[in-house]
Amino acid sequence: MAEPRPGLPLRFQRRFLAARPLRSLPWPELEQSLRTAPDSALLADILHKLESTAAEPLDELYETLADVLKEEEESTHCYKNYLLVLLLIVNSQSLACADGSLPPCVPQPSGDCVSLCESTALISGGTTGLLTWEAALHLAQWALQNPSLFRGRTVLELGSGIGFTGIAICKSCQPRTFIFSDCHPRVLRQLGENLQLNGLTPEGVTCSIQTESQGQELEGQNCQTPKVVVAELDWGSVTEKQLLALRADIVIAADVVYDPEIILALIGMLQKLSTSRADRKAPEVFIASTIRNPDTYQLFQAELDKAGIRWQVIPAHSSCYFLYDEQPDVTILQLFI
């Protein structure tokens, strides 16, 4: 789901999403100073100092910060190209290591790329879903290393954001059908534009979840040109019948474990997937997470255990070839629902 991630106080995230009318600060001169400042650094510093004490920060400060950030981030976007890199097994003696041994694999560009229109701001339009996050890059690289897992199958992605992981899989792993899903209108709109940018034609940019008969029709699609569907999917309101109609073989998600408040909704979604399979085999589930807050991540694992959902860590390559500066702590879990 495309919602605010860690790094900003939860109270601020709620205030930003609520988009309530701004109330005046008790000190007009301070408010004016903040509004005329070149950025929000001054206000952020005030909030940081308040939070380091036992004092309860004023809600108006968070609301003002949200307003300032919104003004800063209007119309901020850029285009990025991600070169798809495959890890290929080396068989050539000419590529032997200095000690005479062969490296197990080498990165090899596939000749294709993913082009995206992204926000240049962490939060834009009330969401963080308008840019690509690290776990999406790692999940895509892992998928490119395991294309047979996706080939000829129907893939449902939860919280697709602006589409990097799914587009990479569509271009490199030959799925039969790929279902992008999210719940934020602006994210869905940008996702649709990015699909078009990469030569993929979605079946309706904000289409509702397809019927079972449509799902059966998709079974016959040529996996060389995957069927692409964009679904507006809310984890809390989606029904088991709707999930059954998706007929997903694989469910993936990246950077959806970041807030304790949405973990239960995610767990509930997974339980619905488990009980909605009818006579079909339960889908394979893989969730990639950047561990920003260990407590939140451990809570997710504890809730999985409580719900009776088994899980295991999937070994992943130690570095991601889409990242150049820092390598975040990203883990991929396989869930057995």
Side-chain angles (χ1 to χ4, degrees):
M1 296 184 54
E3 299 288 342
R5 292 170 165 78
L8 291 173
L10 183 57
R11 185 185 295 102
F12 162 62
Q13 297 179 28
R14 290 170 177 163
R15 295 297 179 192
F16 190 95
L17 292 179
R20 301 191 309 177
L22 180 66
R23 300 196 299 270
S24 296
L25 284 168
W27 314 290
E29 64 277 11
L30 173 58
E31 181 175 353
Q32 181 59 32
S33 174
L34 293 172
R35 290 188 179 281
T36 57
D39 54 39
S40 58
L42 174 59
L43 180 52
D45 186 56
I46 292 173
L47 288 170
H48 178 72
K49 285 181 170 60
L50 281 171
E51 289 177 343
S52 66
T53 70
E56 177 69 17
L58 292 172
D59 286 345
E60 287 86 348
L61 288 177
Y62 288 105
E63 292 167 353
T64 303
L65 177 57
D67 192 68
V68 172
L69 286 173
K70 183 177 180 180
E71 291 177 2
E72 290 177 0
E73 293 156 3
E74 285 181 353
S75 302
T76 54
H77 68 276
C78 65
Y79 286 87
K80 292 184 180 180
N81 293 314
Y82 297 86
L83 182 64
L84 299 183
V85 177
L86 305 176
L87 294 181
L88 303 180
I89 301 300
V90 176
N91 293 318
S92 172
Q93 291 292 336
S94 63
L95 294 177
C97 299
D99 61 1
S101 63
L102 287 176
C105 60
V106 293
Q108 177 66 46
S110 69
D112 210 341
C113 71
V114 173
S115 300
L116 298 178
C117 178
E118 298 192 12
S119 171
T120 59
L122 293 181
I123 298 179
S124 181
T127 177
T128 58
L130 293 173
L131 71 163
T132 301
W133 293 84
E134 295 90 344
L137 302 175
H138 279 264
L139 184 59
Q141 178 172 298
W142 175 78
L144 266 60
Q145 295 171 20
N146 299 274
S148 61
L149 184 65
F150 301 90
R151 188 174 297 121
R153 307 181 78 184
T154 296
V155 184
L156 167 64
E157 182 178 14
L158 305 176
S160 298
I162 55 174
F164 174 79
T165 302
I167 293 172
I169 290 175
C170 286
K171 287 193 170 190
S172 302
C173 301
Q174 299 181 340
R176 177 193 294 113
T177 306
F178 198 98
I179 304 167
F180 296 83
S181 73
D182 212 291
C183 67
H184 195 285
R186 185 167 174 181
V187 172
L188 289 168
R189 201 160 51 243
Q190 189 61 60
L191 170 61
E193 293 177 12
N194 283 336
L195 292 175
Q196 298 279 4
L197 190 62
N198 287 273
L200 300 172
T201 303
E203 191 177 83
V205 174
T206 55
C207 68
S208 58
I209 296 178
Q210 61 193 339
T211 64
E212 187 168 359
S213 61
Q214 287 174 318
Q216 292 170 344
E217 180 183 347
L218 296 179
E219 295 284 349
Q221 294 291 328
N222 185 341
C223 63
Q224 293 292 334
T225 54
K227 182 75 174 181
V228 174
V229 175
V230 177
E232 183 176 357
L233 192 155
D234 185 284
W235 299 348
S237 61
V238 67
T239 66
E240 295 177 5
K241 183 177 180 180
Q242 289 173 319
L243 292 173
L244 177 61
L246 295 177
R247 303 174 68 83
D249 301 308
I250 296 180
V251 177
I252 62 172
D255 254 326
V256 294
V257 179
Y258 55 84
D259 183 349
E261 292 195 352
I262 68 166
I263 286 178
L264 290 181
L266 175 59
I267 297 293
M269 173 73 169
L270 295 172
Q271 290 175 315
K272 291 176 185 177
L273 278 168
S274 175
T275 58
S276 67
R277 63 179 184 259
D279 295 330
R280 293 173 58 85
K281 181 182 177 182
E284 300 176 63
V285 181
F286 301 92
I287 296 182
S289 303
T290 302
I291 304 178
R292 301 180 180 88
N293 185 330
D295 291 338
T296 300
Y297 190 68
Q298 290 169 11
L299 174 63
F300 175 56
Q301 294 177 330
E303 291 296 337
L304 288 173
D305 294 337
K306 189 184 300 183
I309 298 175
R310 294 186 299 110
W311 53 271
Q312 68 179 16
V313 177
I314 297 295
H317 206 269
S318 58
S319 61
C320 179
Y321 292 104
F322 297 115
L323 300 172
Y324 302 104
D325 298 326
E326 58 179 289
Q327 299 292 326
D329 185 7
V330 176
T331 299
I332 300 176
L333 293 185
Q334 180 178 7
L335 310 184
F336 301 91
I337 61 175

